[in-house]
Amino acid sequence: MSTSNVRVAMIGAGTVGQPLARLLLDSNRVDMLVDAAAARIELVAICVRDGAKSRPGVPAQLIVTDSMATATRDDIDVLIEVAGGVEGTRELIEAALSRGTTVVTANKALMAAAGSELIALAHQHGADLYYEGAVAGGIPILRALRTSLAGERINRVMGIVNGTTNFILSKMSAEASDYGAVLAEAQALGYAESDPTADVEGFDAAAKVTILSSLAFGTALCGEVIHREGISRISAGDVAYAHRHSLVIKLLGIAERIGEHGISRRVHPVMLPMDHPLASVHGAFNAVFVEGASSGPLMWLGQGAGGEPTAAAVLGDVVAAARNRVTRRCDAPLSIDPSLQIFPLGELQSVFYLTVDVLDRPGVLATVAGVFGEHSVSIKSMEQSGFGDEARLTFLTHMVFESDISATLEDLAQLDVVDSVGSCIRVLEDDPS
Ligand code: NDP
Ligand code: HSE
């Protein structure tokens, strides 16, 4: 039987696109993929912004610069989008899908914002839309949720899904360094971008949690804003407290069922017990921890960012896309569970670590503790450090409602004896199994 060719064009040849192009141009690799793809994958064009830039390993004759012309070529089966961006890129993907061209993308921002509509458009035109590279780089978590765990009732997906922030928190913990100094180092090493906002303020992780939730629970990909707190306010003092109490601070993305129909999705730092599986994930590594009703806890670990790991995930999608093109089928669209309702953040419960900078005078502790009491926040332990105008009170609460902690923080900030309310970090106390 003769082997079909599946023709592929790419938009983007940067951090992800360049190693991907090299994989697609490696004839040994393409030969090896013929069985899995049921076709020979042929890269026919690579679209970039700057056609004059040197790109080692990428033949100049494949380079083009008209992205819409590339997306709407009649002679391609699959468009790979590794350019990034939301609105302009959405138009390119819509144009390709509307012509029945399958799209493979690593664009988490676009998928979180408009994935449901794009998946529906793909289905309407007999095409696929794959996006494994969009979450946790080289970790094949989306396909695992979609296929291997299709029969499982998933209760919680919790992950370290941003490499930059995990690198920063790991360094702060290992070297007792301040956030600012470690961020500067992360930027110098190329982990953090010159504008690190998307990573350090949790926007990148929030997009990934939105995507994980859609596969685990059937929530829509339509740009919903989820609760998000980043790591930029975490101090060396917070890290030291965690260390003294056998805890470690991680930025977690969490999507979980609450009761039968409740769903909570959020990104925030958490103090984890050192024996929690996610506590030992260091550096730029990512890990996704899934709790299934029958499977129990499961965890995936790997390189969540970087060109080569992400390129490998994108290539896996291209293979699946090619096979579907050859066999003239396409995947069913994701199902959405209309019964799910957003569980109010204020009704979630957690243990909290809080710091409050106060004047060190008689009666101040009683005044501060009184505010906790007014909002039914029970204190488990308290430490004081410093003295005079510099005193810091560090509290660990019992399990309390988020709404009560928010009200406590608001009222504490109004007290004359309080200079500032510092950190407020959730502490995970439950057993992962
Ligand atoms: P880069 O900025 O390194 O590369 C972007 C590439 O796209 C460049 O080659 C650029 O061209 C090209 N490009 C951008 N806009 C256009 C356009 N309008 N027309 C044609 N070409 C265009 O990005 P990354 O490779 O880091 O990221 C790509 C995507 O992959 C993003 O969606 C990102 O979120 C995602 N991703 C990235 C990961 C990573 O570790 N970097 C990990 C997981 C996902 P030129 O070279 O000429 O400037
Ligand atoms: N900036 C992301 C991270 C990589 O640091 O994990 C792209 O998903």
Side-chain angles (χ1 to χ4, degrees):
M1 199 175 103
S2 67
T3 305
S4 330
N5 268 25
V6 163
R7 290 167 63 86
V8 174
M10 296 173 56
I11 303 180
T15 306
V16 177
Q18 211 159 309
L20 177 63
R22 285 197 291 268
L23 290 175
L24 287 167
L25 291 165
D26 173 347
S27 57
N28 290 332
R29 176 70 66 121
V30 171
D31 286 347
M32 273 170 48
L33 294 176
V34 166
D35 284 346
R40 168 162 278 276
I41 297 167
E42 184 188 358
L43 180 61
V44 298
I46 303 171
C47 181
V48 292
R49 267 180 307 215
D50 177 359
K53 208 188 268 181
S54 150
R55 300 174 201 269
V58 178
Q61 66 272 21
L62 289 184
I63 296 287
V64 295
T65 54
D66 185 334
S67 54
M68 188 51 88
T70 305
T72 54
R73 274 175 74 140
D74 284 331
D75 63 341
I76 59 168
D77 302 287
V78 178
L79 177 73
I80 303 171
E81 182 276 305
V82 280
V86 177
E87 278 316 319
T89 309
R90 177 178 180 163
E91 279 174 37
L92 299 173
I93 291 181
E94 283 174 345
L97 293 174
S98 300
R99 303 171 74 85
T101 302
T102 280
V103 172
V104 173
T105 177
N107 193 328
K108 72 219 84 158
L110 177 57
M111 286 309 297
S116 290
E117 280 184 29
L118 293 175
I119 291 166
L121 186 65
H123 192 66
Q124 186 188 337
H125 293 279
D128 282 311
L129 174 59
Y130 289 123
Y131 46 99
E132 183 67 67
V135 177
I139 302 177
I141 183 64
L142 302 191
R143 193 159 278 113
L145 287 171
R146 173 118 211 217
T147 58
S148 315
L149 293 172
E152 177 62 304
R153 180 179 169 85
I154 294 170
N155 292 322
R156 177 146 69 161
V157 180
M158 184 162 79
I160 294 170
V161 289
N162 184 269
T164 304
T165 46
N166 204 46
F167 174 84
I168 293 172
L169 291 172
S170 301
K171 274 245 161 196
M172 286 176 72
S173 178
E175 297 171 4
S177 325
D178 272 319
Y179 169 79
V182 179
L183 173 62
E185 192 182 340
Q187 285 171 317
L189 287 169
Y191 285 112
E193 297 192 20
S194 51
D195 177 2
T197 313
D199 290 322
V200 301
E201 298 303 347
F203 290 97
D204 176 80
K208 292 168 178 170
V209 168
T210 303
I211 295 171
L212 288 168
S213 167
S214 78
L215 288 155
F217 305 116
T219 47
L221 292 168
C222 57
E224 262 180 284
V225 176
I226 67 169
H227 180 81
R228 176 192 50 73
E229 294 166 37
I231 64 162
S232 57
R233 294 184 61 206
I234 290 177
S235 67
D238 302 331
V239 173
Y241 176 94
H243 203 259
R244 282 199 307 279
H245 293 80
S246 300
L247 298 165
V248 58
I249 303 178
K250 296 290 181 190
L251 182 70
L252 296 189
I254 301 169
E256 65 183 336
R257 272 185 209 283
I258 316 272
E260 194 51 31
H261 300 296
I263 192 89
S264 171
R265 292 164 298 173
R266 54 199 196 271
V267 172
H268 52 66
V270 176
M271 288 189 181
L272 290 171
M274 275 183 190
D275 59 359
H276 189 284
L278 289 172
S280 55
V281 177
H282 300 303
F285 271 73
N286 279 195
V288 183
F289 186 78
V290 172
E291 293 170 44
S294 307
S295 62
L298 301 161
M299 191 163 105
W300 287 256
L301 169 75
Q303 297 191 60
E308 294 197 1
T310 309
V314 174
L315 184 55
D317 277 351
V318 174
V319 169
R323 178 167 276 276
N324 271 5
R325 298 297 291 194
V326 172
T327 54
R328 296 182 188 282
R329 62 179 293 273
C330 64
D331 290 355
L334 297 182
S335 52
I336 294 198
D337 180 350
S339 72
L340 290 177
Q341 287 168 358
I342 307 298
F343 191 83
L345 184 73
E347 292 176 29
L348 290 173
Q349 287 185 291
S350 179
V351 169
F352 283 86
Y353 152 93
L354 305 170
T355 63
V356 188
D357 287 352
V358 294
L359 302 180
D360 193 11
R361 289 194 195 140
V364 169
L365 180 57
T367 309
V368 168
V371 173
F372 282 76
E374 277 163 31
H375 295 290
S376 311
V377 172
S378 169
I379 296 166
K380 184 174 179 184
S381 67
M382 196 282 292
E383 292 175 11
Q384 177 172 343
S385 54
F387 53 86
D389 287 346
E390 302 275 310
R392 170 164 296 178
L393 304 178
T394 300
F395 296 93
L396 197 64
T397 72
H398 285 289
M399 197 66 128
V400 295
F401 285 105
E402 293 253 356
S403 56
D404 290 334
I405 279 292
S406 304
T408 304
L409 294 177
E410 269 175 38
D411 285 0
L412 285 174
Q414 305 301 318
L415 293 180
D416 289 343
V417 295
V418 169
D419 278 342
S420 62
V421 177
S423 304
C424 173
I425 302 176
R426 293 155 187 86
V427 181
L428 188 90
E429 286 213 320
D430 60 349
D431 177 355
S433 60

